[in-house]
Amino acid sequence: MTFAEGSAPGVSYVRAGEGPATWVVGDTYTFKATAASTGGAFALIEASIPPGNGPPPHLHTREDEAFYLLDGELEISVGQQTTLVRAGDFAYLPRNFVHWFRNPGVAPAKALILVTPGGFERFFTEIGVPARPGESAPPFDPADGEHLAEVNRRYGGQIFAPTGAVTT
């Protein structure tokens, strides 16, 4: 939703609970800002990560990511270092580092993920399934792993097996 006519060009406003949302790897990603709405500067994504969930180890060659945890807790791993972050904590993950995150808790975690520059959010819409309001994301199907890795490669990334081996 944009501000009323006459406001500054490019200004946008997205209310709580609004924004296009997609299910990816069992998580729900809601787009608050996209490359299209920020002139390519960044994307801002609200992530809801159920207990035990999170993406496999991966890296981005084109984007940096920053996480601000709103609720719950996440294990965030970069290289060989894993850190537990809780509500109110911030983590910055520069491009070209293998990383992953997982919800080790018993309640869903919610985070804001800033991706800069914008554009990688298109990966989520390409690989994911449009979320249905009021429903939980279906669990990740390992049979979808190769497709996930192939689409990620097109966006300049790599998916790694839990052992650190690159998926083909």
Side-chain angles (χ1 to χ4, degrees):
M1 167 190 309
T2 59
F3 279 99
E5 192 172 333
S7 65
V11 173
S12 66
Y13 180 75
V14 180
R15 294 190 179 279
E18 292 183 354
T22 189
W23 292 329
V24 177
V25 298
D27 302 337
T28 302
Y29 296 93
T30 303
F31 307 109
K32 298 299 187 175
T34 63
S37 68
T38 66
F42 66 90
L44 184 64
I45 304 164
E46 183 179 88
S48 179
I49 305 106
N53 265 33
H58 61 282
L59 69 78
H60 308 277
T61 60
R62 302 174 187 162
E63 303 86 17
D64 300 318
E65 287 182 294
F67 291 74
Y68 181 77
L69 203 60
L70 298 170
D71 198 21
E73 56 187 22
L74 288 177
E75 286 179 328
I76 297 179
S77 183
V78 180
Q80 301 300 314
Q81 183 179 11
T82 301
T83 303
L84 182 66
V85 296
R86 294 185 173 94
D89 290 349
F90 173 83
Y92 169 69
L93 290 76
R95 66 190 78 187
N96 293 316
F97 282 90
V98 176
H99 63 279
W100 55 264
F101 59 89
R102 183 181 73 83
N103 178 352
V106 296
K110 187 173 281 192
L112 288 177
I113 303 173
L114 179 70
V115 181
T116 182
F120 188 74
E121 70 279 5
R122 292 187 297 262
F123 162 80
F124 292 98
T125 56
E126 186 173 336
I127 196 72
V129 174
R132 292 186 294 274
E135 294 185 33
S136 297
F140 176 64
D141 182 351
D144 294 335
E146 180 53 40
H147 181 62
L148 178 75
E150 187 273 321
V151 173
N152 193 274
R153 280 190 294 273
R154 287 201 315 259
Y155 286 89
Q158 286 184 292
I159 304 282
F160 294 81
T163 61
V166 177
T167 60
T168 58

